[in-house]
């Protein structure tokens, strides 16, 4: 796979505003005001991002302000995060600044975190019923 076709880079000093979609991986070292959907988002130490992010993995070393929905978030020691972060896995290095609402284990109508306990209860009920029938 040719990485040049799968990775977008917004260089230091560049300014972008709009919507970014269908990016496999994006590295932000400049200033971005956008709504963004990508598999991996990396905000470099000089990068600034304002807007919504939906991603599998977000690595933040710069400034972020907005609403984020990510499976995994890594805030490095230079990260400054404001707004709202919905995540399943969060790693925060010493020195990272989070001044935001942080929500663990978000779902998007997939029911993963909602239905699993119900399924476990159902399994327990079935096990109990099976024990009673013996």
């Amino acid at each position: 796979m040719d990485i040049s076709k799968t990775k977008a880079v917004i260089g230091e000093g560049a300014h972008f505003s709009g919507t970014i979609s269908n990016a496999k991986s994006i590295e932000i070292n400049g200033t971005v005001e956008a709504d963004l959907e990508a598999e991996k988002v990396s905000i470099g130490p000089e990068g600034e991002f304002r807007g919504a992010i939906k991603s599998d993995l977000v690595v933040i070393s710069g400034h972020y302000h907005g609403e984020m929905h990510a499976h995994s978030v890594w805030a490095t020691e230079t990260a400054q995060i404001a707004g709202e972060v919905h995540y399943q896995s969060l790693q925060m290095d010493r020195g990272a600044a989070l001044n935001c609402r942080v929500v663990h284990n978000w779902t998007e109508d997939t029911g993963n975190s909602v239905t699993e306990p119900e399924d476990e209860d159902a399994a327990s009920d079935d096990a109990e019923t099976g024990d009673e029938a013996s």
Side-chain angles (χ1 to χ4, degrees), residues 34-89:
D35 291 337
L36 166 62
E37 188 171 338
E39 286 183 30
K40 179 183 177 189
V41 177
S42 177
I43 302 171
E46 302 301 319
E48 294 183 33
F49 188 96
R50 287 181 141 324
I53 290 179
K54 181 178 177 186
S55 181
D56 290 332
L57 171 63
V58 180
V59 179
I60 304 169
S61 297
H63 298 269
Y64 174 80
H65 189 280
E67 184 173 339
M68 177 188 309
H69 292 262
H71 291 284
S72 297
V73 177
W74 176 17
T76 70
E77 64 185 9
T78 56
Q80 294 185 20
I81 303 171
E84 189 167 311
V85 176
H86 298 255
Y87 71 95
Q88 291 181 348
S89 173

Side-chain angles (χ1 to χ4, degrees), residues 10-55:
I10 298 178
E12 192 172 337
H15 297 271
F16 177 86
S17 64
T19 301
I20 302 170
S21 60
N22 297 324
K24 186 166 183 89
S25 176
I26 186 163
E27 181 180 328
I28 299 166
N29 295 307
T31 303
V32 174
E33 292 184 37
D35 291 337
L36 166 62
E37 188 171 338
E39 286 183 30
K40 179 183 177 189
V41 177
S42 177
I43 302 171
E46 302 301 319
E48 294 183 33
F49 188 96
R50 287 181 141 324
I53 290 179
K54 181 178 177 186
S55 181

